[in-house]
Amino acid sequence: MGIELELHSGRPTRKGSSRDTLLRGSYEHGEALARVLSTLDRHGSGKLGWVDPYGDTLFNEQEAQVASQEVVTLTQGCSDDQQKAALLDLAELLEACASTPGSYVWFIGD
């Protein structure tokens, strides 16, 4: 199980070429990111609780802005170095998305 991250300039699609909108990706922290996000309550943990470690989840720039604040709290309470690295990577992509109009962060779960 793992979650790959991609930042896109527009809404990505599975069908067709999502590479046309790809700005940046993060693929090395998938398992650690899935572990930390899977601990969140889907009904009470804010935006990051929406991320499905087994499916795909998209955040637009407004959702990324809210989620980036949640990452700060998660990072502060995390003692696992791999999970911290995954959260820092996620924070960078969320901040880039929040500052790029029309962009999306794509959480690609498996």
Side-chain angles (χ1 to χ4, degrees):
M1 177 176 73
I3 299 174
E4 296 179 339
L5 300 170
E6 291 183 349
L7 175 62
H8 289 263
S9 60
R11 188 176 184 89
T13 59
R14 275 257 185 229
K15 296 179 181 180
S17 180
S18 64
R19 298 288 165 216
D20 293 342
T21 60
L22 180 64
L23 297 174
R24 193 165 114 202
S26 172
Y27 310 106
E28 67 262 11
H29 303 292
E31 290 181 30
L33 183 60
R35 281 195 316 271
V36 71
L37 294 183
S38 68
T39 66
L40 300 176
D41 176 14
R42 294 193 184 277
H43 302 289
S45 293
K47 296 290 182 192
L48 290 176
W50 294 6
V51 176
D52 179 2
Y54 301 103
D56 294 347
T57 307
L58 282 175
F59 282 3
N60 64 24
E61 71 246 35
Q62 292 85 14
E63 292 165 328
Q65 177 65 42
V66 172
S68 66
Q69 297 165 2
E70 296 171 20
V71 171
V72 171
T73 303
L74 277 176
T75 304
Q76 291 171 346
C78 186
S79 60
D80 181 307
D81 288 340
Q82 291 178 333
Q83 290 179 357
K84 275 186 183 180
L87 289 170
L88 291 173
D89 220 20
L90 173 59
E92 288 178 18
L93 286 177
L94 290 171
E95 289 171 15
C97 181
S99 64
T100 306
S103 65
Y104 288 84
V105 171
W106 190 4
F107 296 81
I108 306 167
D110 62 13

